[in-house]
Amino acid sequence: MTLLNRHLEFVQALRAAGLPVSVAEGLDAVRAVEHLGLADREAVRAGYAAALVKRRSHRGSFDALFDLFFPPLLGSGARWTDEYAAERDSPSAVVDLRDRLAATLSGGEVDQAALGDLAVELVERLGALPGRGQGLSTWSAHQALTRVGAVALLDRLVASLAGEGDQREAHGLAERRIASFTRLVEGEVRRRLAEDRTPQYVAETILRPPVDQIAFTAARRAEVEQMRREIYPLARRLATRLIKEQHARRRGPLDFRRTVRASMSTGGVPLTTHHRPKRPHRSELVVLCDVSGSVAQFAQFTLMLVFALREQFTKVRAFTFVDEVHEVTQHFRPGGDPVRTMADLAASVAHASLWGRTDYGRAFTRFQERHADALGPKVSLLVLGDARSNYGDLALPVFGDILRQTRHAYWLNPEHRRQWGAGDSGAERYAELVRMVECRNLAQLSDFVHDIV
Amino acid sequence: MTSWFDSPADAGGRLQQVGYLTDDATATTTYLAGALEKPLLVEGPAGVGKTELAKAVSRATGAELVRLQCYEGLDEARALYEWNYKKQLLRIQAAGQDAAWDQTHDDIFTEEFLLTRPLLTAIRRAEPTVLLVDEVDKTDVEVEGLLLEVLSDFQVTIPEMGTVSAERRPYVVLTSNATRELSEAVKRRCLYLHLGYPDADREREIVESQVPEISNTLAQQVVDAVARLRDLQLKKAPSIAETIDWARTLVALEIGELDEHTVSATLGVVLKHVTDHDRAVQELRRPRLRT
């Protein structure tokens, strides 16, 4: 395969992964590589990144794809010759490998190069899975990590690291190091797979989408952490955008002072008039969210985002429910600490649940009974949930009644549209009454929040 | 046209000489921006040295720095050029009634009455120039449109005078805090560099080069403490600028070692939110109580 083909396929794969790479940018990348030469892999990576990746959130996908299309080595590397093959996967070899891994990870500083070599060796020795036939063998990071005992390794690491400091810190450090090794092994497995098949195949089947495209309900733990870190920057971006748009629409009364002041530079002739900004229209927001296990993650994110944007509303009140309704507004103090807010919210779930089975009908009825004062003609109502009510009564008339007391109402559903109404989902029936919006990832969430403000 | 840097290593080396420590990716991208003559868009959190990069490039290459600070409401008259209206008026009055219209017209739209603003200044300069467009995300979308012509062709059209093309392309650096997504059109014309928080070793080197009086152990302690602060979920994680400020504070107070008391006494230098402050004190203290 020629270098040009490789480049074109790489650009294609980037586009498939959602990076908007234009033809001109592709040309820039080629020119950059021309200037840099091909001797240094990291320089080529930096060159490609500078020319093609224009957004921080795309960098993860880019790096993963770059490793697939421009792998650091071929096969198992030159060190692996036939004489090793016999003892490749013997009990003593596993123990030996485990010891060396522990030794590398437990030092004061981790030697990244040595760790990379260990990942290569681990996958080579223990990562192979027999396939259904000749040439169909495949590779598994899970198998390799399980067989070397990566989980048991944690305790060993903590014990050896704790000598230098305290337990808690050592635990955190050990976890971070094992996580970084796991990433190396996963990358290595992707590389071997890409070698056996094609990079395109691996790119399509294995790569995770960028963080704002990951569905709330399918996010892994590390990704949830990443999403949380995104919430505040996201809120800030949204707020700036909103303020800008409000300024752009300024058509308030004439600002006499500024107009006269501006006319000075044109000899007292007011060529341009200046206006006072119009007072923005702000509404009250009532958020009603399902915090049962299936959608808790999604509810948390939405609440955090809404409260981060609270200046855009005159008043925000939030209620959580499972089968009982509980007000959580007081947990969101202005300038409050996000970590503690999350913890408070999690703790308050108990108040929202009586029997622990989601019951939308009961929740709406209770809301109507106890918190009807929250509703009014200025209020926008926001319901968050998957509308899965365990085949219970949906209380459609009560919900309709609630809707009539509000100005606008929206329902955010974290499920894909095709699952609405399937199984115990009451989504389709509720959707007849209220505007129901699919909201599965951060991108959709921020679009929606922007639209309602 | 002479090139700005010879190679990525040369770029890294020369930036280091003027006191700006880069990692490999930054050095490579800085070199490429010069070699491809494309503008360089630098994004990252506040205080990681985005503006400083442009200044360092100008110091390292001996080029003059022309700076355009962006803000909301920035317009053509303040970014590109403006006619000196008052002077034109004087000229007309001084010429008296007898001057011919054509003559006056030609006279008042000349070089003499043109007030050049940063963008035009940078383009017209014959000497090497670094143009820094700072905080480009603060401007309105219209200014981005204005930048497009300047950034892609390095030329400016003045209706009365014609098109002014760059005699020598400036080295353009745009910085952004990412409070707003820039338009695809601007991004497409630029090379992109994301500056994040540096790793511990590089940060220690930076601290030691910026605050030479600091002792090795203290520098290490400061960098470690800042790294731990960044791990917490804070509203504003401390950046390099804050690390350096902290190191300077500790040196000024003649504190030789960072312990619990000095941390809580000087934490205000690093963290600028009350809640962050509380959280950090809580988190940094907790492990020590356990042991």
Side-chain angles (χ1 to χ4, degrees):
Chain A
M1 191 188 314
T2 65
L3 192 60
L4 179 61
N5 278 338
R6 196 52 29 162
H7 164 79
L8 292 175
E9 280 169 11
F10 181 50
V11 169
Q12 287 286 349
L14 285 174
R15 287 192 190 129
L19 277 77
V21 179
S22 69
V23 179
E25 283 167 323
L27 285 174
D28 285 344
V30 173
R31 278 194 205 106
V33 172
E34 219 171 64
H35 278 281
L36 292 169
L38 290 161
D40 182 359
R41 180 165 175 266
E42 286 311 306
V44 174
R45 185 200 293 268
Y48 263 106
L52 303 181
V53 188
K54 305 287 166 80
R55 215 168 272 181
R56 178 71 184 144
S57 58
H58 289 153
R59 184 63 203 238
S61 312
F62 169 83
D63 278 336
L65 282 172
F66 185 84
D67 286 338
L68 288 182
F69 282 83
F70 299 92
L73 79 167
L74 289 175
S76 48
R79 289 165 305 135
W80 291 90
T81 46
D82 286 339
E83 48 190 295
Y84 288 99
E87 49 160 327
R88 194 177 79 168
D89 186 4
S90 65
S92 66
V94 174
V95 172
D96 174 53
L97 187 60
R98 185 179 302 152
D99 286 343
R100 277 186 291 143
L101 183 57
T104 315
L105 285 173
S106 61
E109 292 276 317
V110 178
D111 180 358
Q112 287 301 327
L115 201 61
D117 287 346
L118 275 173
V120 174
E121 190 182 335
L122 175 68
V123 173
E124 168 68 26
R125 278 181 194 268
L126 307 176
L129 279 177
R132 275 166 299 176
Q134 192 78 39
L136 284 177
S137 67
T138 178
W139 304 89
S140 157
H142 178 72
Q143 173 182 294
L145 288 167
T146 319
R147 291 211 35 212
V148 81
V151 181
L153 207 57
L154 182 68
D155 293 334
R156 219 164 122 182
L157 270 185
V158 173
S160 71
L161 287 170
E164 303 166 16
D166 57 276
Q167 280 284 332
R168 198 181 118 102
E169 216 173 311
H171 198 273
L173 188 62
E175 256 183 3
R176 275 202 297 281
R177 285 184 178 177
I178 288 192
S180 82
F181 182 67
T182 309
R183 273 198 299 281
L184 281 177
V185 173
E186 282 170 354
E188 175 63 17
V189 163
R190 280 201 294 269
R191 181 183 74 75
R192 299 303 292 258
L193 282 172
E195 211 164 74
D196 289 354
R197 309 246 162 74
T198 60
Q200 288 88 334
Y201 170 79
V202 181
E204 278 162 24
T205 46
I206 294 183
L207 283 181
R208 302 286 291 173
V211 69
D212 60 344
Q213 302 287 340
I214 296 173
F216 293 116
T217 42
R220 301 179 191 169
R221 218 174 90 190
E223 288 162 354
V224 170
E225 186 71 15
Q226 229 179 326
M227 285 164 145
R228 265 188 207 174
R229 284 171 190 276
E230 277 295 302
I231 286 276
Y232 271 94
L234 184 68
R236 211 191 51 205
R237 271 204 300 277
L238 271 176
T240 347
R241 202 166 128 198
L242 289 165
I243 289 169
K244 278 231 164 72
E245 285 173 5
Q246 277 163 10
H247 282 198
R249 273 181 271 128
R250 63 169 60 141
R251 273 194 184 269
L254 185 76
D255 188 338
F256 190 71
R257 199 193 64 79
R258 282 188 64 200
T259 308
V260 170
R261 177 69 191 82
S263 73
M264 294 299 178
S265 65
T266 45
V269 183
L271 290 182
T272 48
T273 56
H274 290 260
H275 296 264
R276 287 210 186 89
K278 201 170 133 188
R279 285 196 62 184
H281 168 79
R282 285 176 184 168
S283 55
E284 285 178 38
L285 188 69
V286 170
V287 190
L288 195 56
C289 61
D290 180 357
V291 286
S292 63
S294 54
V295 286
Q297 204 65 262
F298 162 68
Q300 273 193 357
F301 278 118
T302 314
L303 278 177
M304 294 300 291
L305 188 63
V306 164
F307 275 89
L309 285 171
R310 115 189 63 202
E311 292 88 54
Q312 306 296 325
F313 303 96
T314 39
K315 194 173 164 193
V316 181
R317 287 182 76 178
F319 300 88
T320 55
F321 67 85
V322 176
D323 50 9
E324 182 66 66
V325 173
H326 175 66
E327 176 156 12
V328 291
T329 316
Q330 74 277 8
H331 293 313
F332 296 92
R333 285 171 293 271
D337 179 18
V339 181
R340 195 180 303 160
T341 313
M342 287 287 193
D344 285 349
L345 265 187
S348 74
V349 169
H351 296 291
S353 142
L354 208 57
W355 293 291
R357 283 168 65 81
T358 320
D359 186 341
Y360 278 74
R362 192 181 137 77
F364 289 140
T365 316
R366 297 287 290 167
F367 179 75
Q368 172 83 321
E369 283 167 26
R370 293 176 49 196
H371 299 290
D373 59 315
L375 302 172
K378 277 185 173 175
V379 167
S380 295
L381 177 72
L382 187 60
V383 185
L384 314 175
D386 56 5
R388 294 199 175 271
S389 193
N390 291 312
Y391 300 103
D393 175 27
L394 296 180
L396 291 170
V398 180
F399 188 58
D401 202 34
I402 292 177
L403 293 182
R404 270 189 291 284
Q405 293 176 54
T406 59
R407 185 183 161 90
H408 298 290
Y410 310 90
W411 187 310
L412 292 188
N413 194 330
E415 286 190 331
H416 197 283
R417 198 173 277 272
R418 65 173 169 254
Q419 283 159 347
W420 294 4
D424 62 344
S425 169
E428 279 184 336
R429 312 230 356 234
Y430 283 125
E432 286 164 13
L433 298 174
V434 66
R435 206 183 123 205
M436 196 176 275
V437 183
E438 175 190 293
C439 182
R440 289 187 302 142
N441 51 41
L442 281 180
Q444 282 179 336
L445 181 61
S446 58
D447 281 351
F448 171 78
V449 172
H450 175 254
D451 286 349
I452 63 163
V453 187
Chain B
M1 211 175 288
T2 54
S3 61
W4 292 88
F5 298 105
D6 297 333
S7 66
D10 176 53
R14 278 162 73 187
L15 288 177
Q16 184 161 7
Q17 275 170 19
V18 293
Y20 189 88
L21 301 180
T22 60
D23 56 13
D24 289 344
T26 312
T28 310
T29 317
T30 315
Y31 158 73
L32 278 179
L36 299 181
E37 297 189 317
K38 297 205 84 142
L40 176 61
L41 171 64
V42 191
E43 257 183 9
V48 290
K50 299 186 293 291
T51 308
E52 201 50 44
L53 175 63
K55 291 183 185 165
V57 169
S58 94
R59 281 201 303 274
T61 56
E64 190 165 323
L65 183 77
V66 176
R67 178 170 178 164
L68 172 66
Q69 176 71 46
C70 295
Y71 50 89
E72 210 190 315
L74 177 78
D75 58 5
E76 225 175 44
R78 272 167 284 188
L80 207 52
Y81 70 92
E82 198 174 10
W83 289 108
N84 192 341
Y85 174 77
K86 298 167 193 88
K87 206 171 169 188
Q88 283 174 333
L89 210 61
L90 278 175
R91 167 75 184 77
I92 295 168
Q93 285 170 349
Q97 296 297 319
D98 47 326
W101 161 246
D102 283 345
Q103 179 66 36
T104 320
H105 175 269
D106 288 346
D107 278 355
I108 62 170
F109 289 111
T110 50
E111 203 56 52
E112 195 190 345
F113 300 97
L114 190 69
L115 293 173
T116 58
R117 301 297 186 207
L119 287 181
L120 188 59
T121 313
I123 282 183
R124 298 213 306 176
R125 276 175 58 88
E127 299 81 43
T129 312
V130 174
L131 170 64
L132 166 64
V133 184
D134 215 0
E135 310 202 359
V136 91
D137 52 332
K138 295 262 159 56
T139 59
D140 309 313
V141 184
E142 298 87 71
V143 179
E144 274 186 26
L146 182 74
L147 280 174
L148 288 182
E149 187 188 6
V150 178
L151 295 185
S152 56
D153 302 332
F154 290 96
Q155 62 177 37
V156 172
T157 309
I158 304 174
E160 296 87 352
M161 289 176 71
T163 303
V164 182
S165 306
E167 291 179 32
R168 179 182 192 128
R169 289 197 168 192
Y171 188 108
V172 185
V173 179
L174 294 93
T175 74
S176 159
N177 275 330
T179 51
R180 171 171 77 83
E181 279 292 347
L182 298 178
S183 73
E184 293 295 332
V186 167
K187 284 189 165 181
R188 189 176 72 63
R189 286 170 172 78
C190 299
L191 294 179
Y192 179 87
L193 174 67
H194 183 272
L195 279 183
Y197 302 122
D199 56 31
D201 287 336
R202 195 164 81 85
E203 184 155 33
R204 200 183 63 233
E205 284 171 26
I206 295 172
V207 169
E208 281 169 356
S209 83
Q210 296 289 319
V211 194
E213 316 88 77
I214 200 166
S215 69
N216 277 340
T217 44
L218 185 58
Q220 184 65 49
Q221 281 177 330
V222 167
V223 169
D224 284 349
V226 169
R228 279 173 67 186
L229 288 177
R230 282 183 198 144
D231 265 356
L232 309 175
Q233 281 184 36
L234 298 177
K235 276 197 177 149
K236 170 71 183 81
S239 57
I240 305 178
E242 271 122 18
T243 316
I244 293 171
D245 282 349
W246 201 14
R248 287 220 176 99
T249 312
L250 293 174
V251 168
L253 293 173
E254 297 181 353
I255 292 168
E257 193 156 349
L258 204 58
D259 57 28
E260 197 180 308
H261 176 71
T262 49
V263 167
S264 52
T266 55
L267 205 56
V269 183
V270 196
L271 299 177
K272 315 286 167 77
H273 285 278
V274 186
T275 48
D276 283 358
H277 201 121
D278 294 348
R279 171 145 208 92
V281 168
Q282 209 180 41
E283 290 283 335
L284 291 180
R285 190 177 289 157
R286 196 179 292 159
R288 291 206 168 77
L289 290 177
R290 284 223 188 146
T291 44

